[in-house]
Amino acid sequence: MSNLVRRLTGGKLVLASHNAGKLREIRDLVVPHGIEVVSAAELDLPEPEETGTTFAANAKLKALASATATGFPALSDDSGLSVDCLDGDPGIYSARWAGPDKDFSMAMRNVQEAMLAKGATEAAKRGGQFVSALCLAYPDGEAFVFEGIIRGEIVWPPRGTQGFGYDPIFLPENHDKTFGEMTPQEKHGPRPDGEPGLSHRARAFALFEKYAL
Ligand code: ITT
C-alpha cells in the first residue's frame, strides 16, 4: 500500500454489497467520517458474478460494477473464512457454502464436518482466519484494494447470536469470546487505546481510512 491511493474528496459513496451483516458493519465504520453512503442493495444494483480467484479480484469486480453503474465512487468488501486444514476453504467460496438459502447453520456444520474428516479435533489443528478485501473504485475505472486478516480458532459448537455468517464458530486469537458472542463494538469498533477494531474488516478499513480518507 502506498500514498499513491487516490483520496475520496467528499460526495456520495456507494457501498457495493447486498449482505445486510456486512453493510451494517461498514456503515458503522464509515459514518463517523461524515461520508454520505447509499448501498448497492438500496439502489437495486445487480449483483455481479464473482468470477475472481482471490478476495482482491472479487472485491475489485464488485466495486467497479457499482462505480460504473452509478457514477459515484464505490466501496466493496470481499471476505470469507479460510480454514488451515481445509487448504483455505471455504475462503472465497464462503457465501456459496451457505447455498441459495444463505443457510449459515448448514455452512458452519459443513465446515465442522470437513474439519473432522481431516482429523482436526484439537485446538492446535483448528486454526484459520477471516479475510476482508475492501476495494475503493472510481467510475473512471481506477481501483484500490485494502486487506485485513484476523487469525483465530474454529470452535464447535457455534457460540453466540450476534454478528452474521460464520461468526459463532470463530474465536479470535487471544480472546475468549467468539465473534458471535461479541457486541458490534467489540468485534469492529475502535479499541480504547485508539488502535483499529479487531475484525478483519476493521483492519482493512483502517488502511482505507489511512490512505483514502
Ligand atoms: P456481497 O458480495 O453482496 O458483499 P456476499 O455475502 O456474497 O455479499 P462475499 O462473497 O464476500 O459476500 O461472501 C463472504 C461470506 O463470508 C459472507 O457471506 C459471510 O457469510 C462470510 N463472512 C465474511 N465476513 C464475515 C464476518 O465478519 N463474520 C462472519 N462471516 C463473514
Side-chain angles (χ1 to χ4, degrees), residues 17-211:
S17 175
H18 288 76
N19 178 315
K22 277 188 193 178
L23 283 169
R24 224 173 22 243
E25 295 191 359
I26 298 171
R27 269 182 210 277
D28 279 358
L29 293 162
V30 170
V31 159
H33 293 280
I35 298 168
E36 190 192 343
V37 292
V38 59
S39 74
E42 286 160 343
L43 294 174
D44 245 340
L45 298 179
E47 287 189 59
E49 213 188 320
E50 297 186 21
T51 51
T53 55
T54 61
F55 291 110
N58 283 331
K60 253 188 181 174
L61 200 142
K62 291 189 274 193
L64 282 169
S66 284
T68 50
T70 61
F72 292 107
L75 182 67
S76 67
D77 166 296
D78 199 66
S79 46
L81 179 67
S82 292
V83 179
D84 298 348
C85 71
L86 302 180
D87 299 323
D89 274 347
I92 61 167
Y93 305 108
S94 291
R96 276 170 244 183
W97 275 41
D101 296 334
K102 302 193 174 17
D103 180 351
F104 282 96
S105 302
M106 174 189 82
M108 289 190 285
R109 223 172 24 250
N110 288 342
V111 168
Q112 167 66 0
E113 276 165 20
M115 291 181 75
L116 289 182
K118 295 279 184 187
T121 47
E122 63 209 78
K125 293 184 182 165
R126 297 184 60 91
Q129 59 195 29
F130 262 129
V131 181
S132 162
L134 293 176
C135 178
L136 170 65
Y138 290 91
D140 63 11
E142 257 200 304
F144 307 94
V145 176
F146 311 89
E147 279 204 356
I149 287 178
I150 169 98
R151 297 250 348 136
E153 182 193 329
I154 316 306
V155 296
W156 196 261
R159 288 163 33 191
T161 54
Q162 308 219 50
F164 65 99
Y166 298 90
D167 279 341
I169 58 169
F170 186 78
L171 181 66
E173 65 184 358
N174 305 319
H175 286 77
D176 52 16
K177 283 185 194 172
T178 66
F179 272 173
E181 293 171 308
M182 290 187 179
T183 62
Q185 168 65 29
E186 288 171 317
K187 182 181 170 191
H188 59 261
R191 314 264 96 196
D193 56 6
E195 284 294 300
L198 182 63
S199 78
H200 47 312
R201 188 162 295 107
R203 289 173 176 191
F205 191 82
L207 295 173
F208 165 75
E209 228 169 11
K210 180 170 173 188
Y211 292 104

